[in-house]
């Protein structure tokens, strides 16, 4: 038994993946039930859920960025670690500018990723480029890590002619086929069973590709989450379930979201290998994701990673979180336990970074973001013809008629529509 | 799942047969009381002629024609998989009998009991580029999957700007009244999906139609829902080609030309209106046009005039359907839009 097991006295050691039926015999008083592989007990005792000393949180660095156990150091190169840092800070900068642009009425909506950059970058770095990503909406750093350019992030937020999504969705609903990032949709947790289906197809294909599925601790309450976990386990799919437990679902704190030991504790209930990690420790996230990915593919089974973190920003530009949490609480996380600061401390400690580089990078990254932003704002929106395409693979006659009807309508009433902002 | 329409002689056989489950002292049931025989079906299935264009045919009922379509698909498309509750042993309506043995347990498999999971999983299989054929055990149980169908499957291509799609997903479900199904084994939920852009909804009237339409749905590059009239699974028998063939979607079929009244229906009801057309000719001398709509969405507006023809109508359009109640059990014979109700609506229309 490992140390982990000792801390979970009331949960069985991880059971065999497939319940083996007992040899069917009436000679001994052993349970024959097909539904469970277990012994009889003659003392009435309820299993007590353990939320006081829950599943422990795996971490590699302390809050000052020092490696705690050298055996767990992922031993990444300076170049690799710099890429982590630059991605996280570039994301942070982009968030600040786009949040501000919404406040100024330039885009309609935005969601920031403050405080969760470590969960994005640590996990993205641990995947292969062709692993398929299903996200929720707060995983822009995964896409950024994979090289999605700033002007495409902006294009989607502005819904301009460069948006590969053709202006169909609200901001932050990114998607990129070439980078294997499935387009975001607003309904929560719907991506979870879908990710499982994709993983099953990859398994059949012998593709050595994994699927990673991100969701928040709130979305994990949805029926689709339960469905996804159960299907992944029974159908033996090479999938990583990555839960960003950031403490809030809009205004709902975790104490009102669940009463058990978070999301990691649910995994064993489905027969799923599970771990809880410090989401603000980019190396811990990296290590856990990497090992889970390796085993998910090698063993065709799902893995559940619950990354503990904190949502420093508001839920979205439609939210003011001072209505339900204290500024002190937010400041604690911003100042005392931030994934970017911890990595910076680590890099400084290693001599891989200094104040000069920090200043220079801040200036350079801000300039890059501002340039992309200004360009995105100047572009036109796509032609209103695109309102009608892609509903089906082919455009049905009724839609063609409606498209023509709109064109006729605009010829007569065009002055009442913002046509000057749209391509013809 | 009980079989439809047990007759008196079959009851007698069960009462007197040998075997470990024989009723013993309780076996002799009293003679059937007058008037308590279960009601006969409300329609007569009218088979179409054996087609000559698609090679060798075989006598098949509706569930066998479905199996044939699925067999053709798994044979030709190595990515195709079939999944849902109880499909592995052949399915509660026998539509998948033999397929797991023939194609393997990784291609024909049971899922946990969870419709939202079945459809969500199916969407994911399709997004990854494989052909997904999801079975919902009864159309009555499709509602947990409504979000995945309407908010996800239907919108996948549009919302992603055609970067992603789940066009290779087909959802199949047994549909419609069966004589004794009551609230939860009789529903026809196509209306809930009829105004959801991005999906297709198809309902066949017969084994010949079913195989051709199902194969078209599977080939179609949009997510499709294929409702199978369960009352026809065994009752409808035709000569059906063994090889694949395709009946186009979104094309209604005029089964009978007529000049006075147009009758439009889909699924089982097509056989009801065919009979009504005959009754109208014989009793009223009225010539009816009979149309099988087949695809509910996108539907064939050309074949069925609507607002463009409003001024040409000599009477208001009549809808003959069930009452605005849940589908009842014992009252089914009174609930369903049978030929007498259709005939009466037609008669009123002629006299408008």
């Amino acid at each position: 038994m490992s140390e982990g097991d000792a801390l979970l006295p009331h949960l069985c050691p991880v059971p065999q993946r497939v319940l083996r039926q007992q040899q069917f015999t009436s000679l001994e008083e052993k349970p024959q039930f097909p539904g469970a592989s277990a012994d009889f007990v003659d003392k009435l005792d309820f299993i007590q859920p353990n939320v006081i000393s829950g599943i422990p949180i795996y971490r590699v660095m302390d809050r000052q960025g020092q490696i705690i156990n050298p055996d767990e150091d992922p031993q990444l190169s300076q170049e690799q670690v710099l890429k982590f840092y630059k991605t996280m800070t570039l994301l942070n900068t982009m968030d600040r500018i786009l949040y501000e642009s919404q406040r100024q009425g330039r885009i309609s909506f935005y969601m920031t990723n403050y405080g969760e950059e470590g969960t994005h970058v640590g996990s993205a770095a641990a995947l292969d480029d062709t692993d398929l990503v299903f996200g929720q909406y707060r995983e822009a750093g995964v896409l950024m890590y994979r090289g999605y350019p700033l002007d495409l992030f902006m294009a989607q937020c502005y819904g301009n002619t460069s948006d590969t999504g053709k202006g169909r969705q609200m901001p932050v609903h990114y998607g990129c086929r070439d980078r294997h990032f499935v387009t975001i949709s607003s309904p929560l947790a719907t991506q979870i069973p879908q990710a499982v289906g994709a993983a099953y197809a990859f398994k059949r294909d012998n593709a050595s590709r994994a699927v990673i599925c991100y969701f928040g601790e709130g979305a994990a309450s949805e029926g689709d989450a339960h469905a996804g976990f159960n299907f992944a386990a029974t159908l033996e799919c090479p999938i990583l379930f990555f839960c960003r437990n950031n403490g809030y679902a809009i205004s709902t704190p975790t104490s009102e979201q669940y009463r058990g030991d978070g999301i990691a504790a649910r995994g064993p209930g489905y027969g799923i290998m599970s771990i809880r990690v410090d989401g603000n420790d980019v190396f811990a996230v990296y290590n856990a994701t990497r090992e889970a990915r390796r085993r998910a593919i090698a063993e065709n089974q799902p893995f559940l990673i619950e990354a503990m973190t904190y949502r420093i920003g508001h839920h979205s530009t439609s939210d003011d979180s001072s209505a339900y949490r204290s500024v002190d609480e937010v400041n604690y996380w911003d100042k005392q336990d931030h994934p970017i600061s911890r990595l910076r401390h680590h890099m400084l400690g290693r001599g891989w970074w200094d104040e000069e580089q920090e200043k220079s990078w801040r200036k350079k990254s801000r300039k890059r973001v501002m340039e992309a932003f200004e360009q995105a704002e100047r572009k036109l929106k796509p032609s209103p013809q695109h309102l009608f395409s892609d509903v089906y693979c082919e455009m049905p006659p009724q839609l063609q008629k409606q498209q023509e009807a709109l064109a006729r309508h605009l010829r007569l009433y065009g002055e009442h529509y913002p046509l000057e902002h749209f391509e013809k | 799942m009980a079989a439809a329409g047990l007759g008196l002689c079959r009851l007698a056989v069960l009462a007197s047969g040998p075997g470990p489950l024989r009723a013993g002292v309780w076996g002799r049931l009293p003679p059937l009381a007058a008037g308590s025989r279960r009601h006969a079906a409300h329609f007569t299935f009218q088979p179409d002629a054996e087609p000559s264009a698609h090679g060798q045919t075989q006598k098949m009922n509706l569930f066998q024609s479905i199996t044939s379509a699925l067999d053709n698909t798994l044979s030709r498309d190595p990515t195709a998989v079939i999944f849902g509750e109880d499909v592995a042993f052949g399915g509660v309506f026998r539509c998948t009998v033999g397929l797991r043995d023939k194609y393997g347990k990784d291609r024909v498999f049971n899922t946990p009991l969870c419709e939202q999971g079945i459809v969500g999983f199916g969407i994911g299989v399709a997004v990854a580029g494989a052909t997904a054929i999801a079975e919902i055990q009864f159309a009555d149980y499709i509602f947990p999957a409504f979000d995945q169908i309407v908010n996800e499957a239907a919108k996948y291509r549009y919302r992603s700007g055609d970067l992603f799609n789940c066009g290779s997903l087909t959802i199949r479900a047994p549909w419609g009244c069966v004589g004794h199904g009551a609230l939860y084994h009789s529903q026809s939920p196509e209306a809930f999906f009829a105004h959801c852009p991005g999906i297709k909804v198809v309902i066949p009237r017969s084994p010949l139609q079913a195989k051709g339409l199902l194969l078209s749905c599977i080939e179609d590059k949009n997510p499709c829902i294929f409702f199978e009239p369960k009352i026809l699974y065994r009752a409808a028998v035709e000569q059906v080609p063994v090889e694949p063939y395709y009946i186009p979607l979104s094309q209604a079929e005029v089964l009978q030309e007529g000049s006075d009244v147009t009758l439009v229906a889909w699924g089982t009801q097509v056989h009801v209106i065919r009979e009504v057309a005959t009754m109208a000719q014989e009793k009223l001398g009225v010539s009816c046009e009979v149309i099988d709509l087949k695809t509910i969405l996108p539907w064939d507006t050309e074949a069925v005039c609507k607002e463009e023809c409003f001024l040409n109508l000599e009477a208001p359009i009549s809808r003959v359907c069930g009452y605005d109640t849940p589908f009842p059990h014992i009252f089914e014979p009174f609930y369903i839009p049978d030929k007498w109700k259709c005939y009466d609506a037609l008669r009123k229309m002629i006299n408008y």
Side-chain angles (χ1 to χ4, degrees), chain A residues 185 194 200 224 387 392-393, chain B residues 106 116 152 156 158 199 222:
Chain A
S185 74
Q194 293 170 20
Y200 189 87
D224 273 345
L387 198 169
Y392 295 93
C393 183
Chain B
D106 61 317
Q116 68 194 102
E152 297 288 316
Y156 231 91
Y158 187 79
I199 50 168
N222 301 288

Side-chain angles (χ1 to χ4, degrees), chain A residues 161-211:
Chain A
T161 48
S162 296
D163 178 22
T164 53
K166 300 182 190 170
R168 303 258 166 77
Q169 294 207 86
M170 286 169 74
V172 313
H173 288 62
Y174 311 115
C176 183
R177 183 170 52 215
D178 295 340
R179 292 175 177 84
H180 311 286
F181 188 95
V182 180
T183 303
I184 299 302
S185 74
S186 306
L188 295 180
T190 48
Q191 74 277 15
I192 302 178
Q194 293 170 20
V196 177
Y200 189 87
F202 286 178
K203 177 172 82 162
R204 281 210 69 237
D205 219 18
N206 273 315
S208 283
R209 291 170 76 186
V211 175

